Amino acid sequence: FDMLNATAVERSHLFSFSFAVLLLSGMAGSLGAGKLAMILGQWSGDIILGYKYTFVLASLVGLGAVIPFSMVGAQAPPTDEPRVALTLTQLRTRGGFYFRLTFVNFVIGIGAGLIIPFLNLYFKDRFQMAPDMIGLFYLSVSFSMFVGTLAGPLIARRIGLVRTVVVTQLASIPFMLALAFTHSLPIAFFAFVIRGGLMNLNGPISSHLAMELSEEKERSLVNALLVISWTASWMIAVAIGGQLVEQYGFTLVLVVASVLYVVASIIYFQFFRHVERRRDGESGWYIPESGT
């Protein structure tokens, strides 16, 4: 939808701005959810009921998104719009490109799925933090992600989309390792906030790159493949991550996730380092039509 309704100049900003709005709403949720669970727990006399009531309220708020979503005045796509399906013929001609995109996405997803769902437990178990304080930590990391998301297009303009993804992923590794080994709450908080900002800075950038490298008729297919690879990676990684955390604690899982991020960054750079060109005589990068 963003690709169809924005110009080439606007797209990088639109991808990032859309993600930033999502982060702002997440900040509002993080600010109130932990405190709300505590209040409802005290009111009901059971903290578990407090969590349940908070989930119900969150579900109702999410359902309310149907109202503004139904007001988006988008035109229906033309019936004769060219599209492609995932056939053997399509795989023979474009399968290599699909593999490069989805494989890197899958490796990153494995690393993320191993630890991201358990970071709230990390703070609860290692530092004995209350839910409302954990909510404040997530508010802080959401703000960091918001700032990073807005900065993404500016960085990409200077060093290119591919290098922005790789550099920010690698820059997050020291903070991942700090989370793994520290038992100091201030250090853990700082590492948590900076890691979140760096890793999520490149999310809209990589999505933008994937759409730019795709032919117009295959963008829906590519988007579906990216969603499937990410979802499949989390389906596998969350189950494994839970077992590893239970048996070995958080340090091992964070180290393994860091290694996977490094491997994914190297592969990503090898796959896509030649798809961009610097504009002659001016700042900025562009993707030639033969970039894929």
Side-chain angles (χ1 to χ4, degrees), residues 200-220:
N200 287 277
L201 181 153
N202 61 58
I205 300 299
S206 59
S207 297
H208 177 203
L209 179 69
M211 292 297 99
E212 290 288 358
L213 293 176
S214 304
E215 298 174 3
E216 183 175 356
K217 63 183 179 181
E218 66 181 354
R219 282 172 182 160
S220 296

Side-chain angles (χ1 to χ4, degrees), residues 229-290:
S229 63
W230 184 262
T231 305
S233 68
W234 273 61
M235 179 180 67
I236 297 169
V238 170
I240 297 174
Q243 292 292 327
L244 291 176
V245 168
E246 181 72 21
Q247 295 184 31
Y248 303 106
F250 292 98
T251 299
L252 175 65
V253 178
L254 281 160
V255 170
V256 172
S258 300
V259 171
L260 288 171
Y261 282 163
V262 172
V263 170
S265 299
I266 294 172
I267 295 173
Y268 192 90
F269 186 71
Q270 290 298 319
F271 280 170
F272 301 112
R273 59 178 175 165
H274 297 305
V275 302
E276 291 180 286
R277 300 286 186 274
R278 185 186 291 275
R279 299 186 187 279
D280 295 332
E282 56 181 294
S283 62
W285 295 68
Y286 72 100
I287 299 174
E289 291 187 7
S290 59

Side-chain angles (χ1 to χ4, degrees), residues 116-136:
I116 300 304
F118 307 107
L119 283 175
N120 55 347
L121 294 177
Y122 165 86
F123 286 108
K124 182 178 184 297
D125 292 350
R126 183 170 287 191
F127 300 103
Q128 292 75 51
M129 292 184 62
D132 53 346
M133 287 302 298
I134 295 175
L136 289 176

